[in-house]
Amino acid sequence: MLAVATAIAAWQPALAQSPPPSDGTAPAAANAKPAERQRDGDVSPPPADAGPQDGAAASPPAQPSPSEPTLTEVTKALAPRSLLPPADPVAATAYAVLDKHCARCHQGGRLALPAPAAGFGNVLRLDELANTPWLVQPGNPDGSRLYQSMLRRLMPSDVLQDGASSSAPTSQEMAAVRAWIESLSPRPHCRDRRRVGFEDHAAAMAKTAAEAGDGAARLRFLSIAHLHNGCVAFEALAAYRQALVKLINSLSWKPALVQVLPVDETRTLYRIDLGDLGWLPEHWERILQSGNDPLGLTPSVPRDVRKQLGTEFPVARADWLAANVLRAPLYYDVLGLPGTGPEILKILQINADRQTQESKVQRIPVKPSQVSIQPSLIERLIGRTGPVWTAYHVIARDGSPDPSEAAVSPGQEPVPHHAARTMFSLPNGLPAFAIVGQRGDRLDELPPDIARPHVGDRGSIRAGLDCLACHGSGPVRSQVAGAAASAMNEALARDTAAVAEAHRRLGLVPGGTLDGVEPVVALALEHVRPLAAVRAAAELGVEVEDLMRISEGDKPAAILTRRLLQGLVSRAEIEARGREIVEALGRVPAGEPQSQAAAQSATGPGRHPSGAAVTDVAARKEEGELSSIDAGPGLIIYSDKVRYKRGDQLRLVVKTTADCHLTVISVDQRGRGTVIFPSDFETSTMLAAGQELKLPGAGAPYSFRLNETGREHIVALCNEASASTDGIVHDFERQRFTDLGNYAAYVAQHGGIDPVQQSQSSGSKRAEPRQRGRRRVRVEQAPSQAARPDQIARTAISVVVD
């Protein structure tokens, strides 16, 4: 119990050296070796006596690497899996809630959309969900995004955001999900796999370079070691090995397979030959300089290996590459696509007029759907590399034209539209994508109010990865209308089958997904999602215990490390400040691998040999800045330590990116909640954006002492609209720190409730804090307007008391 004591343009010409072939087919990968393709798919399931697959960073194991996979194991990993409700009654109750409200958007096999919303498709696999840090923090529901999203009325989004007719979760249903998360034990270490170190990859790269001889300068490498070391499930690793092959071949204008082969026994390091892609070394360097990459394997590649390979950047993390290279405009640059729609059609060698004369153009209207807000029109043409599908969209507003009218006269009149999405075939048969605006200019993303961005978290649909999420297997069936529907559906079936055959030729599982999530998309999302300590340690090549070692103190690296150990940190913050952790761990010795001046001359201005952006101290983010993980004010809370001894004092720091009213609650080992801010000593709840609030503050007449062993949870609530949150009423004449009783029961009654319901349940006007004459601080008056649940940011951390 907590006791309170008072006291790109330059590289397009080179890509043009590898134009699309002149024939009209997507030829088979003639030089693909089936045996090699089969081995490139999966790692075998864990041994029967293996421990948990997810959790804290693995310790160096004694067990051997998994055996070579079979094609059956690869297919099994990417095939639909059966679902069974859990036997445990607490988990079974939560399963029923998630099945009712979440499965239609987040469970492969039960989706109402072409792809899982936000790239998350295993909501009913509670064992996997419990081992997904960015969604669930075991034992800490207030710090778990799954529960937070329900409490803030952000989920289910189709009901609460898009107005679908289904019901929203009740307070009792949300309480069931909370109870399940509370019942979970902390994740154990995964001990069932061999840990891969930097030295393993360095040796593998050196050996591969030596075997390549003069061809070593064309070799580059992709790593998934940090995913393997970070306890990513074996099924996901199998999918990611397939994703590597598809990722690289989705960037190729060559008709034949670009081989992506493992070079180490754990199959966590893969080589590609730039010549197979038609790339020069400069193309790789351009990609590696497209974004911050301060963590990963690159900093530790020895100088002699870099010299063998002729580059300071021989290796990239595969998830980082997928997230960056499949994001327009870099995606366009890598494919060498020109800047306008007509020029793209010219590259694809499409003669629309001739196809119109020969009646080969197909157009069909499409009704509004959960993806497209307005009616649209689908057009199919034939290019030299295969079919070209275009969806014409208009912005949802009064007076918008109806593009479906152009279906009456295919090809004879331009289709009225504000933006168009195009999917075309690469010579190897895989789909590629582009977005074009009303004036024919190439766009990086769709304009707002055209389609609902269900797949990504960014609130937009960007060319490349977002398109691949729904169309990784080619065109998908829409709500088509009109007399031509049958013919269009037949064409759609043929083209989908052709993409499936292209997958087979490349050694990929046709239509294989991770619970509905396209494997390349799933791989990219591994990079963009928030990080916990396990993933950060794996990317750094250290153990979680090493992070614990540098977690105390007031230096930025120590603070960032504590936040990783206690919860989640956005990828943006890690990229901005990750080098401070690297330096605190001693991973970047002075002068290694070369001087900064030499590095800049070799790699271009503003780059460190590690791949990180070189900035002076003044140019770095201010310490008070943070990047929001969820919609709403970016709220963080951390303590001065991660572990305490009984009797130690607790000190907290809270920050936010938006002005809001703050409430901080301590929840003890028995689940009893006590509001520790505001209190009789500090009644003003307003916290300004960027302001750092310390609890207790300097000279405060109170302190927090940890008197019981176990885990204590500290909950922070940041309310943008009201000084009163969750119906909390303070009476400082009676209690200096407001007692809420059992916190789970309190939240079930008051948390996440619509303001109208909340006022009705309270039965009276919310009371204001009463002021004592001796107090010197003023009382913050609550606004008359109650806050909506989505205006209240929520987070929580756990502290361990030994």
Side-chain angles (χ1 to χ4, degrees):
M1 181 177 181
L2 180 67
V4 182
T6 55
I8 299 239
W11 94 339
Q12 267 185 273
L15 287 176
Q17 296 173 6
S18 300
S22 58
D23 58 7
T25 63
N31 63 348
K33 300 177 182 179
E36 289 180 335
R37 296 201 305 266
Q38 177 173 317
R39 289 198 303 270
D40 201 29
D42 186 20
V43 56
S44 62
D49 59 347
Q53 295 179 18
D54 299 270
S59 300
Q63 298 188 19
S65 301
S67 59
E68 198 72 16
T70 66
L71 184 58
T72 300
E73 291 168 339
V74 175
T75 305
K76 182 179 179 181
L78 297 176
R81 296 182 286 165
S82 59
L83 290 165
L84 291 175
D88 175 73
V90 174
T93 304
Y95 179 97
V97 174
L98 297 174
D99 190 12
K100 176 182 178 182
H101 296 289
C102 308
R104 62 183 177 271
C105 293
H106 295 291
Q107 181 56 59
R110 301 195 181 185
L111 300 174
L113 296 166
F120 154 44
N122 61 342
V123 74
L124 296 184
R125 303 194 185 283
L126 299 195
D127 55 339
E128 297 177 8
L129 205 58
N131 289 306
T132 307
W134 71 275
L135 281 173
V136 173
Q137 298 286 318
N140 182 11
D142 296 288
S144 300
R145 296 180 74 198
L146 177 71
Y147 174 69
Q148 289 174 5
S149 296
M150 299 177 77
L151 200 60
R152 296 183 64 206
R153 295 302 191 184
L154 300 175
M155 205 171 106
S157 61
D158 60 345
V159 174
L160 297 167
Q161 312 296 320
D162 300 333
S165 59
S166 300
S167 62
T170 65
S171 298
Q172 292 76 15
E173 288 173 326
M174 290 188 286
V177 174
R178 179 188 182 93
W180 169 66
I181 298 175
E182 284 181 328
S183 72
L184 298 173
S185 299
R187 299 181 186 91
H189 288 228
C190 58
R191 309 280 185 183
D192 55 359
R193 61 190 73 176
R194 177 180 179 271
R195 186 182 181 281
V196 181
F198 294 142
E199 63 282 356
D200 297 317
H201 277 192
M205 283 188 279
K207 180 181 178 182
T208 305
E211 292 172 349
D214 294 340
R218 298 195 309 268
L219 298 183
R220 297 296 182 267
F221 299 87
L222 303 176
S223 171
I224 57 171
H226 58 295
L227 305 178
H228 170 93
N229 293 343
C231 301
V232 168
F234 283 97
E235 291 83 2
L237 290 174
Y240 297 158
R241 289 180 171 91
Q242 288 266 298
L244 289 178
V245 179
K246 186 170 183 178
L247 168 64
I248 296 303
N249 281 274
S250 293
L251 303 173
S252 171
W253 281 102
K254 296 296 184 84
L257 167 72
V258 178
Q259 294 186 333
V260 185
L261 299 175
V263 298
D264 67 324
E265 64 176 7
T266 57
R267 293 183 303 285
T268 59
L269 185 68
Y270 286 74
R271 73 160 179 83
I272 59 174
D273 190 316
L274 299 180
D276 291 346
L277 276 162
W279 291 4
L280 300 174
E282 289 77 6
H283 298 157
W284 175 265
E285 304 297 324
R286 167 68 178 85
I287 292 173
L288 265 288
Q289 294 183 28
S290 65
N292 275 339
D293 190 17
L295 308 179
L297 298 177
T298 304
S300 293
V301 177
R303 185 189 299 273
D304 59 334
V305 178
R306 298 197 308 271
K307 185 176 180 180
Q308 279 181 289
L309 297 166
T311 177
E312 294 293 331
F313 308 96
V315 61
R317 286 175 296 147
D319 57 327
W320 178 90
L321 184 69
N324 281 273
V325 79
L326 292 179
R327 180 177 171 84
L330 182 60
Y331 173 68
Y332 292 144
D333 293 338
V334 171
L335 283 178
L337 296 183
T340 69
E343 290 174 317
I344 293 174
L345 295 182
K346 186 176 181 180
I347 281 184
L348 299 175
Q349 301 181 34
I350 293 176
N351 189 329
D353 293 336
R354 181 177 176 180
Q355 291 188 44
T356 299
Q357 294 172 4
E358 298 176 357
S359 301
K360 291 184 178 180
V361 178
Q362 292 179 276
R363 286 181 178 174
I364 194 165
V366 178
K367 299 176 182 178
S369 66
Q370 290 180 301
V371 176
S372 179
I373 299 173
Q374 293 281 84
S376 56
L377 181 127
I378 303 294
E379 178 183 75
R380 181 180 182 270
L381 297 168
I382 300 297
R384 297 295 291 173
T385 58
V388 179
W389 291 78
T390 300
Y392 295 94
H393 299 282
V394 295
I395 295 175
R397 63 190 179 199
D398 293 338
S400 292
D402 186 354
S404 63
E405 295 176 359
V408 178
S409 53
Q412 297 178 5
E413 295 182 9
V415 180
H417 65 282
H418 295 120
R421 294 180 294 140
T422 294
M423 176 175 59
F424 59 91
S425 297
L426 292 169
N428 58 24
L430 294 182
F433 312 95
I435 298 176
V436 177
Q438 184 177 14
R439 297 178 178 85
D441 50 322
R442 193 189 72 189
L443 303 178
D444 294 342
E445 61 184 36
L446 277 178
D449 301 321
I450 282 182
R452 298 182 178 95
H454 286 287
V455 175
D457 287 326
R458 295 183 299 272
S460 63
I461 296 177
R462 186 172 286 265
L465 194 69
D466 292 339
C467 302
L468 188 69
C470 292
H471 298 284
S473 296
V476 296
R477 195 173 300 276
S478 302
Q479 299 184 43
V480 296
S486 178
M488 185 66 88
N489 284 332
E490 289 177 5
L492 184 148
R494 289 196 306 271
D495 294 350
T496 302
V499 175
E501 181 57 30
H503 279 79
R504 293 188 188 94
R505 290 196 300 267
L506 297 173
L508 303 172
V509 177
T513 66
L514 269 176
D515 284 312
V517 183
E518 206 286 329
V520 178
V521 175
L523 177 64
L525 290 174
E526 288 282 0
H527 174 74
V528 301
R529 282 170 174 156
L531 283 77
V534 173
R535 174 57 53 81
E539 292 186 4
L540 287 163
V542 299
E543 305 291 346
V544 172
E545 290 76 11
D546 294 314
L547 297 181
M548 287 286 295
R549 177 173 53 82
I550 64 169
S551 66
E552 293 194 19
D554 295 329
K555 291 184 178 180
I559 293 172
L560 186 57
T561 302
R562 287 203 298 278
R563 290 175 53 207
L564 284 166
L565 290 162
Q566 292 184 321
L568 299 174
V569 177
S570 70
R571 173 62 70 176
E573 274 197 90
I574 291 296
E575 290 195 340
R577 308 197 64 90
R579 275 191 57 80
E580 293 168 356
I581 296 180
V582 174
E583 292 164 356
L585 289 167
R587 290 291 306 280
V588 186
E592 178 62 26
Q594 57 180 316
S595 70
Q596 180 169 311
Q600 291 193 16
S601 65
T603 64
R607 301 299 302 177
H608 186 275
S610 69
V614 176
T615 56
D616 56 46
V617 175
R620 292 184 181 180
K621 278 181 172 278
E622 295 294 330
E623 183 181 342
E625 228 175 298
L626 61 141
S627 178
S628 179
I629 290 175
D630 291 300
L635 174 66
I636 64 169
I637 183 171
Y638 58 89
S639 58
D640 58 331
K641 295 180 184 179
V642 177
R643 301 188 75 98
Y644 295 83
K645 294 186 181 300
R646 184 177 178 182
D648 283 354
Q649 291 187 12
L650 173 72
R651 295 178 177 84
L652 302 167
V653 176
V654 188
K655 298 179 185 178
T656 180
T657 58
D659 295 351
C660 64
H661 297 274
L662 178 69
T663 302
V664 181
I665 302 164
S666 170
V667 183
D668 65 18
Q669 292 84 342
R670 291 183 293 275
R672 193 171 190 86
T674 303
V675 179
I676 59 177
F677 182 89
S679 70
D680 187 33
F681 303 98
E682 296 160 311
T683 59
S684 178
T685 60
M686 177 57 71
L687 182 64
Q691 178 184 351
E692 180 180 87
L693 176 67
K694 295 183 178 181
L695 297 173
Y702 66 92
S703 62
F704 302 135
R705 193 172 300 279
L706 298 160
N707 284 341
E708 294 185 5
T709 59
R711 287 183 177 268
E712 188 112 5
H713 301 291
I714 309 297
V715 181
L717 311 175
C718 201
N719 191 327
E720 292 185 274
S722 174
S724 181
T725 300
D726 289 352
I728 296 175
V729 176
H730 304 286
D731 186 349
F732 295 137
E733 290 288 348
R734 297 182 179 183
Q735 293 179 324
R736 289 183 168 178
F737 296 89
T738 302
D739 183 1
L740 301 179
N742 183 280
Y743 188 61
Y746 185 88
V747 174
Q749 183 178 357
H750 300 282
I753 300 175
D754 183 87
V756 175
Q757 295 176 318
Q758 198 170 69
S759 62
Q760 291 174 348
S761 64
S762 64
S764 62
K765 185 178 179 180
R766 197 174 285 112
E768 302 292 344
R770 286 182 282 175
Q771 187 174 12
R772 298 184 181 199
R774 59 174 171 76
R775 188 165 55 248
R776 296 180 180 177
V777 292
R778 66 185 177 88
V779 176
E780 189 73 30
Q781 296 297 319
S784 57
Q785 174 103 24
R788 300 188 312 271
D790 66 315
Q791 293 177 298
I792 305 171
R794 298 172 182 267
T795 191
I797 61 172
S798 299
V799 296
V800 180
V801 184
D802 297 320

